[in-house]
């Protein structure tokens, strides 16, 4: 009986047909992959004293490709009706952060020479 004091009685049920979009989840996953790979590349290049091979450039190019695809998927799914907005917005934010960080890396690399 003491638990009834803390529990509120529900006033009604909310029925919804909303679901998470598979494309939005994929956009968020691509953003996490892009940011994770960029973070690993920055860490490894720092550990090597800035001396990196062509593999790091190819990895950054793949990260940029993943981020672009993820951003497009996030922008397409955020406009859908009857879908939750958590994963599309998360995908847009993560992919934009990855693209901005790639741009900053390229800008900083070009200004060092």
């Amino acid at each position: 009986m003491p638990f009834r004091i803390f529990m509120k009685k529900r006033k009604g049920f909310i029925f919804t047909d909303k679901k998470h979009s598979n494309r939005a989840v994929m956009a968020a996953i691509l953003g996490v992959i892009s940011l994770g790979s960029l973070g690993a590349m920055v860490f490894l290049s720092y550990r090597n004293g800035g001396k990196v091979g062509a593999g790091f450039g190819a990895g950054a190019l793949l990260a940029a490709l993943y981020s672009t695809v993820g951003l497009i998927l996030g922008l397409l799914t955020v406009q859908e009706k009857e879908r939750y907005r958590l994963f599309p917005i998360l995908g847009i934010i993560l992919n934009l952060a990855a693209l901005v960080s790639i741009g900053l890396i390229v800008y900083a690399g070009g200004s060092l020479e």
Side-chain angles (χ1 to χ4, degrees), residues 29-43:
I29 290 172
L30 286 173
V32 168
I33 290 171
S34 297
L35 281 176
S37 63
L38 284 173
M41 284 185 279
V42 167
F43 173 74

Side-chain angles (χ1 to χ4, degrees), residues 33-35 37-42 52-68 98-99 101-103 105-106:
I33 290 171
S34 297
L35 281 176
S37 63
L38 284 173
M41 284 185 279
V42 167
V52 295
F56 285 85
L61 184 63
L62 280 175
L65 180 68
Y66 288 165
S67 295
T68 305
L99 286 173
S101 64
I102 290 170
I105 289 170
V106 170

Side-chain angles (χ1 to χ4, degrees), residues 45 83-84 109:
S45 90
R83 298 287 184 181
Y84 289 117

Side-chain angles (χ1 to χ4, degrees), residues 63-85:
L65 180 68
Y66 288 165
S67 295
T68 305
V69 170
L71 183 64
I72 291 170
L73 286 175
L75 289 173
L76 288 176
T77 56
V78 78
Q79 298 172 357
E80 292 180 0
K81 304 282 188 220
E82 297 298 323
R83 298 287 184 181
Y84 289 117
R85 293 189 175 270

